């Protein structure tokens, strides 16, 4: 099999820099990391110097993703030899046990780390991941909340909590159902495991409230993230999406504003552009708004449509498929126009 | 990678600066000896100091690496959710990668589940997690 450096004609320094970039940007392209990292470790270990230890760690985690347990074991042994008694290496050993689904052993490993050092955040987060992996999401949420009470500044944990809340919908809260309840103001049809496991018709939507409460909590987590990272357009956009999912006129207006904010921060964010179009069209189509608001929102939606069409034309200029894709976008925009 | 040319430039600049400082000190002591304390520093020493200063600064700017934009949001323009969503401290490993990348000819390793080795691509029975 040709090595990576032969196939792509790169030097070992470029490979090392690429690994560093992937590490810093949190890429999870484990297959590539394993290929590149394995070659670096086998062929160029002496040239890497002290960088090799962090590469061992990165490759080990990628190897666990790719089910390369032999490679993971080798990396772990090297790290154990170099850093005996290190908490970080113990955590990696625990992660390997988790990958082999030996959750009790992994849990014991993390408990031993926490006994030696009760403030070790990494071990606590891994225990939460064990709960997540076993499917106990309610407990995971509870533990994560307790963790965040002590370590309020941990942004990764806030984002993780928001994702846990978003995915925590036992009862069906998908868009179609909520549309029905919100805009026709009456009966909500909900398939709910919690209640009977069959189709349940509720007036006013009691189980709907439970779904929406979780989205509200997810929105709270994202608000924390936006406060500490006001310049990050992705958090704005995700918050707007959660608000849009919650539905209701005030939430839609809020979501439109945050989509606009995300666009202000990064005018190339296509998702925010589509979001602006959708939320503005929804508000304009809602029966509860007066004429001025309706007109304003129709204006926003038209502006967004023009921007989308322009973006697709600019992106595809010079290529043969441009006409087809532009036409497809126009048709799609017309089809999702609210009546 | 820093090219050695700019490092040499910084070296030359610093050397010229040191040389100018030494000359100025010597000029000072010469003035004291000949008791002509009102004469100002000769223009060539002043010029050499300023030029060496500019040269050193220019060289250091080239050595110090890539400049970042002042606008905080411009750095994030290329970031996508693909990488934002990944939380390395919370990575889980019970995904289909464990089965997908499993090679069929592998020797018995630490995985206790013999079923997986015999036919790794057969979907394991999904355990009901709730």
């Amino acid at each position: 099999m040709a090595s990576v450096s032969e196939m792509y004609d790169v030097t070992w320094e470029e490979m090392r820099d690429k690994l560093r970039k992937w590490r810093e940007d949190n890429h999870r392209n484990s297959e590539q990391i394993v290929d590149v990292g394995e070659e670096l470790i086998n062929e160029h270990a002496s040239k890497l110097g002290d960088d090799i230890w962090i590469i061992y760690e990165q490759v080990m985690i990628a190897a666990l993703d790719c089910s390369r347990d032999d490679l993971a074991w080798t990396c772990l042994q090297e790290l154990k030899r170099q850093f005996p008694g290190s908490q970080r290496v113990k955590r990696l050993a625990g992660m390997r046990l988790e990958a082999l689904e030996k959750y009790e052993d992994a849990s014991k490993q993390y408990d031993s780390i926490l006994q030696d050092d009760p403030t070790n955040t990494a071990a606590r987060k891994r225990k939460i991941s064990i709960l997540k992996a076993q499917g106990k999401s309610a407990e995971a949420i509870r533990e994560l909340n307790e963790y965040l009470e002590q370590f309020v500044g941990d942004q990764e944990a806030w984002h993780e909590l928001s994702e846990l809340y978003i995915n925590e919908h036992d009862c069906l809260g998908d868009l179609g159902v909520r549309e029905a309840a919100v805009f026709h103001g009456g009966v909500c049809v909900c398939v709910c495991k919690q209640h009977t496991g069959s189709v349940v018709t509720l007036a006013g939507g009691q189980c709907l409230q439970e779904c929406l409460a979780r989205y509200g909590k997810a929105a709270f987590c994202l608000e924390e993230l936006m406060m500490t990272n006001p310049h990050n357009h992705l958090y704005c956009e995700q918050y707007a999406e959660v608000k849009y999912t919650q539905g209701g006129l005030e939430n839609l207006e809020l979501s439109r504003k945050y989509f606009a904010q995300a666009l202000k921060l990064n005018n190339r964010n296509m998702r925010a552009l589509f979001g602006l179009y959708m939320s503005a069209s929804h508000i304009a189509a809602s029966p509860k708004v007066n004429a001025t608001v309706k007109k304003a929102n129709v204006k926003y939606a038209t502006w967004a449509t023009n921007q989308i069409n322009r973006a697709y034309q600019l992106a595809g200029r010079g290529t043969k498929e441009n006409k087809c894709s532009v036409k497809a976008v126009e048709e799609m925009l017309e089809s999702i126009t609210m009546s | 990678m820093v090219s050695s040319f700019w490092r040499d430039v910084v070296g030359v600049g610093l050397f010229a600066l040191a040389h100018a400082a030494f000359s100025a000190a010597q000029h000072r002591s010469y003035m004291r000896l000949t008791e002509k304390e009102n004469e100002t520093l000769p223009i060539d020493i002043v010029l050499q100091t300023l030029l060496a200063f500019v040269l050193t600064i220019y060289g250091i700017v080239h050595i110090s690496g890539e400049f970042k934009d002042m606008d905080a949001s411009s750095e994030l323009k290329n970031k996508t959710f693909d990488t934002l969503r990944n939380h390395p401290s919370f990575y889980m490993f019970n995904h289909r990668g464990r089965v997908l990348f499993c090679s069929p000819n592998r020797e018995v390793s630490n995985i206790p589940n013999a079923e997986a080795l015999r036919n790794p691509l057969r979907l394991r029975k999904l355990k009901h997690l709730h």
Side-chain angles (χ1 to χ4, degrees):
Chain A
M1 198 184 324
S3 67
V4 170
S5 60
E6 285 165 26
M7 278 204 289
Y8 297 101
D9 193 22
V10 289
T11 59
W12 67 270
E13 291 109 339
E14 288 169 352
M15 287 172 30
R16 177 197 60 188
D17 292 340
K18 208 57 174 174
L19 274 182
R20 184 189 319 138
K21 179 166 162 293
W22 288 335
R23 190 168 57 234
E24 285 167 10
D25 290 343
N26 286 342
H27 277 101
R28 200 173 178 177
N29 49 344
S30 303
E31 260 192 295
Q32 284 180 310
I33 293 178
V34 162
D35 285 338
V36 173
E38 197 174 10
E39 187 179 327
L40 269 183
I41 292 173
N42 293 338
E43 318 267 320
H44 307 284
S46 48
K47 300 180 216 155
L48 285 167
D50 274 334
D51 275 345
I52 195 159
W53 309 114
I54 195 129
I55 289 182
Y56 270 131
E57 185 183 24
Q58 187 181 4
V59 169
M60 184 196 155
I61 296 180
L64 289 176
D65 267 342
C66 295
S67 180
R68 288 284 310 269
D69 297 324
D70 51 336
L71 180 59
W73 183 245
T74 338
C75 296
L76 189 59
Q77 293 302 93
E78 291 292 320
L79 284 167
K80 267 192 190 157
R81 197 175 339 144
Q82 177 71 10
F83 304 106
S86 150
Q87 310 282 31
R88 199 161 155 179
V89 175
K90 271 197 199 161
R91 163 183 162 252
L92 287 175
M95 280 169 91
R96 185 183 149 269
L97 289 170
E98 275 184 63
L100 298 173
E101 300 194 9
K102 298 181 179 159
Y103 294 121
E104 295 83 27
D105 297 337
S107 203
K108 278 199 215 114
Q109 180 88 329
Y110 297 133
D111 284 332
S112 83
I113 298 180
L114 283 170
Q115 247 180 353
D116 293 334
D117 176 15
T119 63
N120 191 319
T121 57
R124 283 182 77 163
K125 293 200 232 186
R126 290 316 305 172
K127 290 191 73 173
I128 294 172
S129 310
I130 290 181
L131 290 171
K132 225 174 57 162
Q134 292 174 314
K136 303 175 182 162
S137 34
E139 289 182 32
I141 288 181
R142 201 176 46 232
E143 294 285 317
L144 195 46
N145 268 311
E146 279 176 26
Y147 170 80
L148 279 169
E149 273 169 34
Q150 294 185 3
F151 298 95
V152 189
D154 191 342
Q155 307 195 351
E156 207 185 28
W158 278 114
H159 205 205
E160 184 69 27
L161 185 59
S162 80
E163 295 226 349
L164 280 175
Y165 275 129
I166 290 175
N167 294 330
E168 173 70 5
H169 39 66
D170 305 300
C171 22
L172 193 66
D174 75 279
L175 200 53
V177 174
R178 239 165 300 103
E179 299 265 290
V182 170
F183 291 110
H184 303 294
V187 174
C188 141
V189 177
C190 185
V191 176
C192 182
K193 268 188 273 175
Q194 265 179 351
H195 291 122
T196 60
S198 56
V199 175
V200 171
T201 322
L202 294 164
Q206 186 221 341
C207 77
L208 191 65
Q209 294 307 315
E210 287 170 22
C211 305
L212 296 183
R214 295 200 184 95
Y215 283 115
K217 292 182 188 160
F220 176 77
C221 300
L222 286 166
E223 281 167 14
E224 289 281 331
L225 283 170
M226 281 202 302
M227 261 200 325
T228 46
N229 299 297
H231 51 271
N232 192 334
H233 61 101
L234 291 170
Y235 289 139
C236 273
E237 189 216 305
Q238 203 175 7
Y239 179 70
E241 285 175 5
V242 170
K243 280 292 171 201
Y244 180 81
T245 312
Q246 279 183 295
L249 194 58
E250 313 83 38
N251 286 332
L252 278 178
E253 297 220 318
L254 210 57
S255 95
R256 189 199 68 217
K257 289 181 187 156
Y258 277 97
F259 277 127
Q261 172 76 358
L263 277 174
K264 198 168 86 158
L265 291 171
N266 178 10
N267 53 4
R268 295 193 308 194
N269 190 337
M270 283 308 290
R271 252 171 104 146
L273 205 46
F274 273 105
L276 181 65
Y277 170 72
M278 296 286 287
S279 47
S281 322
H282 253 104
I283 298 177
S286 158
K288 294 190 227 164
V289 296
N290 58 27
T292 36
V293 174
K294 202 184 187 99
K295 231 173 65 157
N297 280 291
V298 166
K299 206 172 66 159
Y300 304 144
T302 343
W303 178 84
T305 320
N306 293 338
Q307 292 296 318
I308 293 175
N309 281 326
R310 240 185 56 182
Y312 271 93
Q313 276 183 341
L314 276 174
R317 68 180 178 279
T319 65
K320 302 192 291 255
E321 300 88 26
N322 189 19
K323 285 211 188 76
C324 315
S325 62
V326 169
K327 193 160 182 307
V329 170
E330 280 173 8
E331 283 174 13
M332 177 190 71
L333 286 170
E334 277 166 40
S335 71
I336 49 179
T337 306
M338 305 294 138
S339 55
Chain B
M1 278 285 102
V2 176
S3 82
S4 54
F5 170 67
W6 291 112
R7 262 199 290 240
D8 295 339
V9 165
V10 172
V12 164
L14 285 173
F15 180 72
L17 211 50
H19 181 258
F22 194 64
S23 319
Q26 256 198 331
H27 180 262
R28 201 74 175 123
S29 63
Y30 174 69
M31 286 292 113
R32 216 168 283 154
L33 281 175
T34 57
E35 294 175 6
K36 279 197 263 169
E37 299 239 5
N38 6 359
E39 271 202 29
T40 55
L41 220 50
I43 186 115
D44 58 332
I45 295 186
V46 173
L47 270 178
Q48 186 180 344
T49 316
L50 289 173
L51 278 172
F53 182 57
V54 170
L55 198 67
T56 313
I57 289 186
Y58 194 64
I60 287 187
V61 159
H62 277 270
I63 292 183
S64 63
E66 288 288 325
F67 279 114
K68 292 207 315 191
D69 266 350
M70 241 177 35
D71 183 12
S73 59
S74 67
E75 248 182 31
L76 294 162
K77 281 206 172 174
N78 295 327
K79 237 186 173 182
T80 60
F81 267 121
D82 296 340
T83 51
L84 193 81
R85 260 203 183 129
N86 291 339
H87 310 125
S89 312
F90 289 103
Y91 276 164
M92 285 198 302
F93 299 105
N94 62 341
H95 48 64
R96 55 195 175 167
R98 299 288 303 166
V99 182
L100 266 180
F101 295 116
C102 193
S103 70
N105 304 329
R106 233 164 15 118
E107 308 194 12
V108 177
S109 65
N110 300 322
I111 297 182
N113 192 351
E115 271 189 359
L117 289 175
R118 247 182 273 131
N119 187 355
L121 289 183
R122 180 180 64 192
L123 291 170
R124 293 194 216 153
K125 249 197 266 182
L126 291 171
K127 297 194 200 103
H128 190 65
L129 290 173
H130 289 283

